[in-house]
Amino acid sequence: MRQAGRYMKSYQIICEKYPSFRERSENVDLVVEISLQPWNVFKPDGVILFSDILTPLSGMNIPFDIIKGKGPVIFDPIATAADVDQVREFSPEGSVPYVGEALTILKKEVDNKAAVLGFVGAPFTLASYVVEGGSSKNFTKIKKLAFSQPKVLHSLLQKFATSMTKYIRYQADNGAQAVQIFDSWATELSPVDFEEFSLPYLKQIVDAVKQTHPDLPLILYASGSGGLLERLALTGVDVVSLDWTVDMAEGRRRLGHDIAVQGNVDPGVLFGSKDFITNRIHDTVTKAGKGKHILNLGHGIKVGTPEENVAHFFEVAKAIRY
């Protein structure tokens, strides 16, 4: 929900003042300001770090930029074993010290009145970006690599798994009280391919982080994950975040009651009337059952969402008592 309301207005102004992605992401004061804006206005239970899942790439010798109107652009897409050899394992302390600084300030500013959340990209999703050269509709290049040169892809995925493990630990050590892992493009894989190219690396990250930070909640989100829910639970994460295409009651049954769920109100609902929003919130909460549910949207908030409806979402959510 970090893009809500006034955040969207002020972020547009900030983007105009600081057109470079690097100028925005590496400016600690800006990162803190943008991260805190939704919390200052709506007082949600979580404050998420303003950053991007691709932030570590530069520190891994993968130059990129996020270009207005085009999105992320990887300047030298990875295609061969030699390309993978040039990828360095990530050192957060040396490459992104501003992330740690921002998290430390956020935790102090929030003062335990809300949880500070960090986040990272999952290995397969990061690999998809760097192999495709940016966003993709058909994921032809990553699948060609997976099915014709699987050893090359596995080598790249391993570097991302090791690096994201370090990044999660670094965020936790600097103030993050929970970390969400985004595997946005894993659902482009068939179940059998997910089990080969995504699941083992997610599980490896979770197992390694739990060894050093056993009490750090880990949340996993993959959009369009209805066909993979049971497999997402096998990663060992504490929370599975559901998008709105999955019925919450059905998702809860399929995941089991030992794991928490997050979501999953359709972001489009916030364009409806306040009564409509209220009904959908209560429907989601009822279907999730008592306990182990983080009420949230099933994806990011849409640009143009009425700010008063965002406020209403929080008001209704905070008023719910079991």
Side-chain angles (χ1 to χ4, degrees):
M1 300 282 295
R2 62 194 171 92
Q3 297 179 50
R6 292 172 192 168
Y7 164 86
M8 291 189 285
K9 299 170 190 173
S10 60
Y11 181 54
Q12 183 177 4
I13 295 170
I14 288 168
C15 288
E16 290 170 356
K17 185 176 180 182
Y18 300 92
S20 163
F21 168 75
R22 177 162 290 178
E23 283 181 302
R24 297 193 299 272
S25 65
E26 296 184 8
N27 186 314
V28 174
D29 291 339
L30 273 180
V31 169
V32 171
E33 178 187 349
I34 297 171
S35 301
L36 285 176
Q37 282 179 358
W39 187 71
N40 288 332
V41 177
F42 303 112
K43 289 295 185 289
D45 297 314
V47 174
I48 190 165
L49 172 74
F50 173 77
S51 187
D52 193 276
I53 63 170
L54 301 184
T55 296
L57 294 187
S58 297
M60 298 181 71
N61 197 32
I62 306 173
F64 81 102
D65 199 357
I66 296 180
I67 298 173
K68 184 178 180 181
K70 191 170 184 179
V73 174
I74 311 300
F75 297 122
D76 298 302
I78 290 173
T80 67
D83 294 337
V84 175
D85 288 341
Q86 297 302 310
V87 177
R88 295 192 299 260
E89 287 188 0
F90 186 50
S91 172
E93 296 87 348
S95 299
V96 292
Y98 49 87
V99 170
E101 292 173 36
L103 283 167
T104 300
I105 296 170
L106 280 175
K107 188 174 181 185
K108 183 178 179 182
E109 290 287 329
V110 175
D111 193 27
N112 285 324
K113 295 182 177 71
V116 174
L117 284 80
F119 66 94
V120 301
F124 181 78
T125 290
L126 294 173
S128 295
Y129 279 109
V130 303
V131 172
E132 295 287 339
S135 300
S136 177
K137 289 185 177 180
N138 300 312
F139 296 87
T140 306
K141 294 178 182 177
I142 186 77
K143 290 189 177 183
K144 179 181 178 182
L145 189 64
F147 303 147
S148 66
Q149 301 183 75
K151 288 184 179 179
V152 174
L153 180 55
H154 279 299
S155 178
L156 178 61
L157 291 168
Q158 184 56 59
K159 286 191 175 183
F160 278 130
T162 302
S163 297
M164 292 309 103
T165 298
K166 292 180 181 178
Y167 197 25
I168 292 173
R169 288 170 172 163
Y170 172 76
Q171 292 186 31
D173 289 341
N174 284 277
Q177 294 163 293
V179 176
Q180 183 153 328
I181 304 168
F182 286 87
D183 207 353
S184 307
W185 306 132
T187 51
E188 294 293 328
L189 293 168
S190 68
V192 67
D193 294 320
F194 176 82
E195 290 177 355
E196 179 175 357
F197 296 107
S198 183
L199 178 59
Y201 298 100
L202 289 168
K203 193 173 188 307
Q204 181 185 138
I205 290 170
V206 173
D207 289 345
V209 170
K210 290 298 183 181
Q211 287 179 7
T212 56
H213 298 74
D215 298 322
L216 179 72
L218 295 175
I219 307 165
L220 176 61
Y221 179 80
S223 57
S225 60
L228 297 173
L229 285 189
E230 292 84 356
R231 290 170 175 82
L232 296 184
L234 295 176
T235 60
V237 293
D238 302 283
V239 185
V240 170
S241 186
L242 304 177
D243 73 2
W244 71 93
T245 63
V246 179
D247 181 81
M248 178 57 81
E250 180 184 334
R252 174 70 100 183
R253 284 195 300 271
R254 290 173 59 190
L255 288 166
H257 288 271
D258 292 334
I259 195 166
V261 290
Q262 177 173 287
N264 66 338
V265 178
D266 184 342
V269 165
L270 296 187
F271 288 99
S273 69
K274 288 185 171 57
D275 285 343
F276 184 75
I277 295 168
T278 299
N279 290 337
R280 283 298 180 91
I281 290 171
H282 282 283
D283 178 66
T284 299
V285 170
T286 300
K287 287 178 175 178
K290 291 187 177 181
K292 292 193 174 183
H293 174 220
I294 303 168
L295 179 66
N296 204 342
L297 299 180
H299 201 278
I301 196 167
K302 303 291 186 183
V303 175
T305 301
E307 185 175 335
E308 61 271 19
N309 287 1
V310 178
H312 182 72
F313 180 96
F314 284 112
E315 290 165 6
V316 173
K318 291 176 182 179
I320 294 175
R321 296 289 181 270
Y322 287 114

